[in-house]
Amino acid sequence: MLQRVFANLLSSFIAQENVSSSGDQNDEEGSISPLSFTPEGSDELLDNVRHEKYTKTEDDEHTNISSDDNESDLLVQLEDLLKALEEDTPHRLSQSVSADIKDYGTAEFLDLSSVCFPNVLIAGEGIETDMRFASRQAMVYMCQQRRTQPWLRFCLGLMVTKDEMGLLRADATGVEECVFPKNIGRGVIESIRLSLGILLATDQELGQHPSFFLRSVTKVLEEDQDDDIGNDDRGQGAKKRRLIPSVTMSSGKERKSKKLRLETSEPIPSSPTDPPPQPRRVVSREVNWITLDEGKLHGQHLFNQAPTNFYVKYLIEDRGSLVGRCTRVWCVYREVFESDPLLDRYQNELSKRNRVMKGPYALKIYNADMFTEAYEQDVLLKAMNIHQSKPLDGVLLPTHVWRLGDILFLVRGLTQDERSPNLPLDKMKNRQEVFTISPLKRTLSQFETVEEFYHVLIGVLRGIESLQAINIIHRDISFGNIIIDKEIYCGTDKEFELIDVDGEDAPVALIRRESVDIGVSGGLHDLDMAAYIPKTVVYKCEVPSFSVPPPKVAPKKLASPVQQKPQRTGTVPFMSIPVLNGGQHSVTDDLHSLFFVLYLSMFTFDERLPNCFPNAPPHIRHRWPEAFLDWMGPDRSLSTLGSNKTHFFSNEGNWYDALNNNALSIWKTSNDEAFKWVHWSMLGTFYEQLWFWVNAGRVRKTVSLKEKTGVTPLSIRTALQTHLEKLDMNSDIPLVET
């Protein structure tokens, strides 16, 4: 047991170190365009800081593992190690190690990445001779800078050795590298030009997106009873940071630096074993406003319209990718004017000097691959147009979409004439910068009761059915893409409030928007990866492949339904078995993904989270069984994951025993010993709708994963709804024989 625990712990330490330093690099295709590097055109540089090569699917925002997840996994592994030590090795060494682990888990310390990197303008590395090592290390720092500065459109990295100087630039299309010697006249001139250029560069020339405007924020890292430090307008005040400490622990109960800080107020000298004292306050930067040009609205032709301004409340999600989709989502409030009828309700509280913002909304920015069907066929816009004439139940669509331009022009300055002769389409990866705005809703993790949870999933089936009716499949159903319709605001949220905002002479008014109804209890959003339903599902991938090269000629517009390219997308743990095995996406694959959402929810969601909507929900530390790594873990091809997933769900002894032994308490009986029958009944009903049960002559049943013919979202929705009406979610035994 100890051998397995120590092996898992070591891998967690490695993953934590890698992710905390380099960030998440996986993206939908994962590879860098051949135009990225000069002169060699090699992808080796970015591959050296890429740690999850198996997730080469289309959406980086879901397939990546965040540093928070790795931190949680590491703490869980430490708890396992502590338990194993106490059970298996009751001697003095185990007691000493156990004491260190407990200190490690409860230590208070400084998050250096949040202190330093939000204010870094250019990351870099200086080394004696090895330029390749300097480039790799600079990429590590650029990743961390990108994670803490989500307003960047691109990142810069500087490398210096005694003989060479180099510059890196990473954007959505790839990474550019330029290295020149310093021991010749041309190299000296270029070094001087580069140094002067960095000194004189504006924020936008260093990567800041021109649509983003920042504010300074003072964060208190220790409770300071002597000084009165003002909070920012979002109520961020005194708090303690708690992350994985990277300092050497002393043999006592406290680190030496902490003991010295408590005993004296004098500065503590740094040494190889003792870190410098932690600062009490850190001045950082955050996004204050986002301004978008109405002339860039996609699908609408507006002229002489004022730009749309958004006040940013907090960052919802950012995976910190340097290349690829680089998805970021903010909670924002949109500026409204006198024509908005909602202002009549607050006319007595407002003055002409107050700017008025209405929300909450989710503002999303991502870089869409211009060679995918979702972009070529403009699936999202067509769904929005249909929704305006006939609402799609169970589907939440953006209200507006902005397309700001392609990255090769916005960042690299390449016009169509400049890129065409030397950059053929089969050698180029280009992306479109897209902003979308939609009402902010609760996600699946914020369900109030188990009954609401099941009604939400039934609503998702209605959403799949609505999309099927207009010939569209979602292709990326996961926890994050399921929303709850009912808007339950927390007690501290106000329908109207005045706040002080940096740069504004008068307080800004935040008012609550009108409620948005999607027709059912829950549904789907985020149709970035959606596609038309293929005419046939004939593609079979014999050789594992993570991405499909772009066409060699300019793509032609095809009428729907279209014959899809063999391109696999989605979030790995929720991807259907046929898609993992190389099959083409279909409506059935969306249904399979929803089944895996239901199954994994029972290992992820425990007691109900405190309602904090529309504020950010707390991070969930899931603890999935180790056996799941065989069909969702890293360092495996998608085809291998598909085979392992087939084996796991073909035997009831695998997936049911995992539930009975590892499901969280909310899904178990009142004595927390066995999996609740009512949940097993709902899960089994869903299971039997998708696959055939066969008797293989063994003690346990096995199931043929050949799909049932005629399975539809409506048939599964009807079966689950009928079954749910017969069950009592508070009971440990069935009320009705089914």
Side-chain angles (χ1 to χ4, degrees):
M1 177 179 178
L2 276 177
Q3 183 178 5
R4 185 177 69 254
V5 171
F6 273 112
N8 294 337
L9 181 63
L10 178 60
S11 63
S12 296
F13 269 114
I14 294 173
Q16 172 68 18
E17 176 65 22
N18 290 341
V19 175
S20 63
S21 61
S22 65
D24 299 315
Q25 287 307 300
N26 304 301
D27 205 72
E28 61 184 306
E29 291 83 16
S31 62
I32 307 303
S33 168
L35 65 89
S36 301
F37 290 92
T38 54
E40 298 177 351
S42 171
D43 295 344
E44 178 185 359
L45 181 60
L46 191 61
D47 286 341
N48 286 329
V49 293
R50 190 186 305 274
H51 304 289
E52 296 168 6
K53 298 180 181 179
Y54 76 103
T55 52
K56 296 185 179 181
T57 53
E58 278 203 8
D59 197 350
D60 66 329
E61 65 176 307
H62 302 298
T63 55
N64 293 331
I65 300 175
S66 67
S67 60
D68 291 339
D69 293 334
N70 281 272
E71 176 195 344
S72 303
D73 293 341
L74 180 55
L75 293 176
V76 169
Q77 296 290 352
L78 286 173
E79 293 172 2
D80 290 342
L81 176 59
L82 180 58
K83 184 183 298 184
L85 286 170
E86 293 174 347
E87 293 177 355
D88 295 356
T89 56
H91 50 75
R92 185 167 55 185
L93 176 61
S94 68
Q95 295 175 358
S96 174
V97 176
S98 298
D100 289 341
I101 292 176
K102 290 178 179 178
D103 288 341
Y104 192 94
T106 58
E108 295 290 342
F109 57 93
L110 183 64
D111 176 11
L112 294 177
S113 63
S114 296
V115 173
C116 302
F117 282 97
N119 296 310
V120 168
L121 297 180
I122 296 181
E125 175 71 11
I127 198 171
E128 182 72 16
T129 58
D130 192 346
M131 176 55 72
R132 298 302 296 172
F133 177 83
S135 299
R136 291 194 296 267
Q137 192 62 35
M139 285 287 294
V140 170
Y141 298 144
M142 291 166 65
C143 291
Q144 189 62 54
Q145 180 189 8
R146 173 62 185 78
R147 291 181 62 84
T148 57
Q149 298 184 27
W151 53 84
L152 292 179
R153 185 179 254 171
F154 61 87
C155 286
L156 296 176
L158 188 65
M159 307 88 66
V160 179
T161 67
K162 66 177 183 179
D163 297 323
E164 294 178 305
M165 191 171 186
L167 184 69
L168 292 172
R169 181 171 66 183
D171 58 39
T173 60
V175 182
E176 295 176 294
E177 181 184 39
C178 179
V179 178
F180 46 85
K182 297 189 298 182
N183 53 4
I184 61 175
R186 175 64 183 274
V188 173
I189 295 175
E190 294 296 337
S191 299
I192 296 174
R193 290 180 59 193
L194 178 59
S195 301
L196 289 175
I198 293 174
L199 289 174
L200 300 176
T202 64
D203 289 339
Q204 293 185 19
E205 290 169 339
L206 294 178
Q208 180 175 324
H209 198 292
S211 298
F212 289 70
F213 301 88
L214 309 181
R215 60 171 171 253
S216 296
V217 178
T218 299
K219 296 183 178 180
V220 182
L221 301 179
E222 286 189 0
E223 293 185 1
D224 195 336
Q225 300 178 356
D226 299 331
D227 299 332
D228 183 16
I229 303 173
N231 301 339
D232 71 347
D233 51 47
R234 298 181 302 168
Q236 293 180 346
K239 60 181 179 180
K240 290 186 177 181
R241 294 222 168 234
R242 187 181 186 282
L243 292 176
I244 302 300
S246 58
V247 298
T248 303
M249 303 297 293
S250 65
S251 59
K253 295 183 178 181
E254 295 176 337
R255 298 192 304 273
K256 293 180 181 180
S257 59
K258 186 173 181 180
K259 288 182 178 180
L260 290 174
R261 186 169 67 250
L262 295 175
E263 295 172 359
T264 178
S265 60
E266 296 296 325
I268 305 172
S270 60
S271 70
T273 58
D274 295 328
Q278 300 176 2
R280 293 187 173 185
R281 292 169 278 191
V282 173
V283 178
S284 184
R285 295 182 295 169
E286 293 178 346
V287 180
N288 195 28
W289 299 97
I290 297 177
T291 301
L292 296 176
D293 184 4
E294 293 294 286
K296 296 293 185 178
L297 274 172
H298 181 51
Q300 303 181 37
H301 301 285
L302 301 177
F303 302 97
N304 300 323
Q305 293 287 328
T308 303
N309 297 311
F310 299 93
Y311 168 73
V312 178
K313 195 170 186 183
Y314 64 90
L315 179 68
I316 297 176
E317 184 175 5
D318 176 24
R319 296 295 180 176
S321 300
L322 276 178
V323 300
R325 288 176 58 81
C326 303
T327 306
R328 290 144 284 171
V329 185
W330 283 269
C331 173
V332 301
Y333 283 69
R334 181 174 184 171
E335 187 169 16
V336 295
F337 301 96
E338 296 179 356
S339 58
D340 194 304
L342 192 61
L343 294 182
D344 296 337
R345 187 184 306 176
Y346 308 106
Q347 58 182 352
N348 295 331
E349 290 87 355
L350 294 171
S351 68
K352 293 183 178 180
R353 298 176 62 239
N354 298 128
R355 297 179 68 177
V356 183
M357 304 286 163
K358 182 172 68 173
Y361 293 96
L363 181 66
K364 178 178 180 179
I365 174 177
Y366 64 96
N367 299 297
D369 186 346
M370 299 175 66
F371 295 105
T372 59
E373 183 186 351
Y375 183 86
E376 292 177 4
Q377 298 294 316
D378 211 349
V379 176
L380 178 59
L381 181 63
K382 293 180 180 179
M384 292 170 57
N385 292 335
I386 295 174
H387 182 70
Q388 289 180 354
S389 59
K390 183 180 179 180
L392 302 174
D393 291 341
V395 181
L396 181 67
L397 292 168
T399 58
H400 297 84
V401 176
W402 289 263
R403 287 188 175 180
L404 272 62
D406 66 272
I407 297 300
L408 288 181
F409 175 74
L410 293 176
V411 176
R412 305 196 178 189
L414 296 176
T415 64
Q416 192 65 40
D417 294 337
E418 292 173 329
R419 69 181 79 159
S420 297
N422 300 319
L423 302 175
L425 289 175
D426 63 337
K427 299 291 185 181
M428 180 177 62
K429 176 65 64 177
N430 198 7
R431 293 179 179 271
Q432 177 78 213
E433 189 175 62
V434 181
F435 283 77
T436 64
I437 183 74
S438 59
L440 180 66
K441 293 275 191 178
R442 289 184 294 151
T443 57
L444 185 61
S445 64
Q446 297 170 281
F447 64 89
E448 292 281 319
T449 63
V450 175
E451 290 85 349
E452 183 183 47
F453 171 84
Y454 283 116
H455 283 295
V456 168
L457 294 189
I458 292 173
V460 172
L461 288 167
R462 181 69 182 97
I464 298 174
E465 186 180 351
S466 298
L467 292 176
Q468 183 185 21
I470 61 174
N471 202 35
I472 290 176
I473 48 179
H474 189 280
R475 302 200 305 173
D476 190 20
I477 295 178
S478 61
F479 288 156
N481 287 337
I482 296 177
I483 51 97
I484 302 175
D485 179 56
K486 191 175 182 180
E487 298 176 358
I488 304 176
Y489 290 85
C490 64
T492 58
D493 187 75
K494 301 176 182 179
E495 292 188 14
F496 173 88
E497 65 175 324
L498 294 172
I499 62 172
D500 294 327
V501 177
D502 289 351
E504 296 296 319
D505 297 332
V508 172
L510 300 184
I511 62 175
R512 188 179 297 174
R513 59 166 172 78
E514 304 88 342
S515 178
V516 176
D517 184 11
I518 62 173
V520 285
S521 298
L524 294 168
H525 75 133
D526 193 358
L527 269 65
D528 303 340
M529 296 293 106
Y532 288 114
I533 299 175
K535 291 181 179 180
T536 57
V537 183
V538 297
Y539 176 74
K540 180 67 177 177
C541 180
E542 300 296 339
V543 180
S545 172
F546 289 102
S547 61
V548 177
K552 296 184 178 182
V553 296
K556 297 181 180 180
K557 296 295 182 180
L558 300 176
S560 60
V562 298
Q563 182 66 43
Q564 279 187 294
K565 304 179 184 69
Q567 198 167 37
R568 292 179 282 184
T569 69
T571 308
V572 170
F574 309 100
M575 290 174 69
S576 72
I577 294 172
V579 170
L580 287 172
N581 289 333
Q584 206 170 31
H585 285 270
S586 67
V587 176
T588 306
D589 295 304
D590 280 354
L591 299 176
H592 287 192
S593 294
L594 185 60
F595 171 81
F596 296 129
V597 166
L598 172 59
Y599 184 73
L600 291 175
S601 294
M602 298 171 181
F603 304 92
T604 307
F605 306 133
D606 203 351
E607 297 298 332
R608 183 179 68 88
L609 295 175
N611 181 28
C612 54
F613 180 80
N615 300 316
H619 176 68
I620 297 177
R621 291 175 54 184
H622 62 259
R623 188 173 183 175
W624 290 345
E626 184 178 348
F628 290 9
L629 293 178
D630 290 337
W631 48 274
M632 67 171 66
D635 301 326
R636 294 173 175 86
S637 68
L638 294 181
S639 298
T640 300
L641 295 177
S643 299
N644 294 341
K645 203 169 193 175
T646 302
H647 174 74
F648 184 85
F649 285 96
S650 293
N651 193 309
E652 181 184 343
N654 291 331
W655 63 281
Y656 176 72
D657 287 349
L659 283 171
N660 206 40
N661 298 328
N662 299 284
L664 299 178
S665 59
I666 194 175
W667 310 99
K668 289 190 173 184
T669 57
S670 55
N671 57 7
D672 199 25
E673 292 182 356
F675 188 63
K676 263 191 178 182
W677 182 90
V678 291
H679 304 308
W680 165 245
S681 181
M682 290 292 291
L683 192 65
T685 299
F686 202 154
Y687 191 101
E688 292 178 354
Q689 291 292 316
L690 296 176
W691 297 297
F692 287 110
W693 287 91
V694 297
N695 191 345
R698 300 177 181 177
V699 177
R700 295 282 189 175
K701 292 181 179 180
T702 60
V703 59
S704 171
L705 293 181
K706 183 178 179 181
E707 301 168 3
K708 280 188 174 181
T709 58
V711 60
T712 64
L714 177 60
S715 63
I716 298 179
R717 180 165 63 92
T718 302
L720 291 180
Q721 183 67 50
T722 303
H723 206 66
L724 184 62
E725 294 173 354
K726 300 178 182 180
L727 301 176
D728 178 6
M729 290 297 156
N730 296 318
S731 174
D732 295 342
I733 58 175
L735 296 181
V736 180
E737 292 294 334
T738 58

